[in-house]
Amino acid sequence: MKKKSTDPEKEMSFLDHLEELRWHLVRSTLAVLIVAILAFIFKRFIFDTLIFGPSRPEFATYSIFCDISRALGMDAFCFQEMPFKIQSRTMAGQFSAHMWTSIYAGIIIAFPYILYEFWKFISPGLNENERKSSRGFIVIASFLFFLGVLFGYYLITPLSINFLGSYQVSDEVINQFDLDSYISLVRTSVLACGIVFELPILMYILTKIGLVSPEILRKYRKFALIIVLVLSAVITPPDIVSQIIVAIPIVILYEVSIYISKVVIKNQEKELKKEERKKKKEERE
């Protein structure tokens, strides 16, 4: 195979790009596996503290909501015990849950490094101005992702568990949930919110490549609001309060995305004018 050139000015072939991408993927996978192994070892903390935390009445969210509801003259979220039990009904159920939860923990915790490897792959294709304007990409994207993860863990997850765990069609039916079903709810709530909170980053990229603009985002704001409400209904229990709690930050993120798109367009116009002045100056000389 042709040896990869170390000259930065020399264009890489398609196979060289594939080889470079392969090593970025390998390093990202190794980072996920290392964190997953650590999560596998510290299973007591991962499961007893994090995973099963929202299933306990003393969880922070329930305590705060209980205090707020009592201040309003109600007793919502004030309870001594969750009205359900978690069980494993298959031979490999607990081991499988342990393994996959460790892998997802690896993905979540190693997310900044995965972004770093992604950035290292695409950054050589950017010009100097684009690299400067995108300098804080990893930090901002990681911050938004972890903010979404915390939002999903401390708000969406306990709201969903409280609603679905206490819901009964009849007193004859006892709620005994499978371990995989419970973990799936926690995982989906956390990851969905983490991804949704990347909306400003997505809009930044789409604006940079010319697919969206502030005008388009404003024009379709009403449609976006409908999509937000549908999305909040999908990732939350079917009650109005939970949907509003989810919809508010998503709407805020959408408005922030409009502002970011506006800034990107202004910067592009400035760069274009700067290049035009430079060309005119060169023509005069």
Side-chain angles (χ1 to χ4, degrees):
M1 184 176 175
K2 184 181 176 182
K3 189 177 179 181
K4 183 182 170 183
S5 174
T6 55
D7 185 0
E9 297 297 324
K10 189 174 180 179
E11 277 194 31
M12 294 171 62
S13 68
F14 177 71
L15 290 178
D16 287 334
H17 279 294
L18 285 180
E19 178 69 11
E20 187 72 13
L21 176 61
R22 184 173 74 89
W23 281 109
H24 286 298
L25 293 175
V26 167
R27 286 191 290 268
S28 298
T29 303
L30 283 175
V32 170
L33 287 177
I34 290 170
V35 179
I37 290 170
L38 292 174
F40 192 88
I41 294 170
F42 294 99
K43 67 175 182 178
R44 295 296 179 192
F45 174 76
I46 295 294
F47 282 90
D48 292 345
T49 302
L50 296 180
I51 300 296
F52 295 125
S55 69
R56 300 191 181 101
E58 63 270 18
F59 190 64
T61 303
Y62 301 135
S63 299
I64 294 170
F65 278 25
C66 178
D67 292 339
I68 293 173
S69 65
R70 280 177 175 169
L72 297 173
M74 299 181 292
D75 281 326
F77 297 97
C78 300
F79 43 85
Q80 298 297 320
E81 186 179 1
M82 283 289 189
F84 64 85
K85 296 292 182 182
I86 301 171
Q87 61 182 352
S88 178
R89 299 189 300 168
T90 59
M91 288 292 291
Q94 295 197 52
F95 177 76
S96 178
H98 186 191
M99 184 178 66
W100 282 107
T101 299
S102 299
I103 292 173
Y104 279 105
I107 294 172
I108 292 172
I109 297 172
F111 183 76
Y113 183 79
I114 296 171
L115 278 181
Y116 171 71
E117 289 294 339
F118 171 73
W119 176 249
K120 280 181 67 178
F121 178 70
I122 66 169
S123 59
L126 304 176
N127 59 44
E128 188 63 29
N129 290 328
E130 287 173 333
R131 279 197 288 270
K132 285 181 180 179
S133 63
S134 307
R135 193 167 288 169
F137 167 75
I138 298 173
V139 175
I140 296 171
S142 299
F143 171 76
L144 289 172
F145 178 76
F146 286 123
L147 187 64
V149 166
L150 291 174
F151 181 81
Y153 180 73
Y154 281 104
L155 275 177
I156 306 306
T157 299
L159 286 173
S160 300
I161 290 174
N162 179 65
F163 179 83
L164 297 173
S166 59
Y167 188 84
Q168 285 183 291
V169 293
S170 170
D171 292 336
E172 299 295 320
V173 183
I174 300 172
N175 283 333
Q176 292 182 333
F177 304 125
D178 285 344
L179 177 63
D180 183 62
S181 175
Y182 175 85
I183 293 177
S184 177
L185 185 146
V186 176
R187 180 178 64 237
T188 302
S189 300
V190 167
L191 286 177
C193 289
I195 294 169
V196 166
F197 271 58
E198 293 293 326
L199 181 63
I201 300 296
L202 176 63
M203 291 304 173
Y204 172 83
I205 294 172
L206 293 178
T207 303
K208 289 288 285 185
I209 61 179
L211 291 180
V212 299
S213 66
E215 291 74 22
I216 291 175
L217 293 175
R218 291 193 191 99
K219 180 180 178 181
Y220 293 102
R221 184 188 271 118
K222 293 179 180 178
F223 298 102
L225 181 59
I226 294 172
I227 294 172
V228 165
L229 292 174
V230 172
L231 182 63
S232 62
V234 169
I235 64 176
T236 61
D239 65 273
I240 300 299
V241 175
S242 300
Q243 292 174 19
I244 291 174
I245 289 173
V246 176
I248 289 173
I250 299 178
V251 170
I252 292 172
L253 287 170
Y254 188 83
E255 295 300 324
V256 170
S257 299
I258 294 176
Y259 174 76
I260 290 172
S261 181
K262 185 178 179 181
V263 171
V264 170
I265 295 295
K266 281 187 176 181
N267 289 337
Q268 287 178 338
E269 289 175 351
K270 285 180 182 178
E271 289 297 325
L272 186 61
K273 289 179 180 178
K274 187 177 178 180
E275 288 179 5
E276 288 176 354
R277 286 196 296 267
K278 187 177 179 180
K279 285 182 181 179
K280 288 180 180 179
K281 187 178 179 181
E282 289 174 351
E283 288 174 358
R284 291 195 199 101
E285 293 175 353

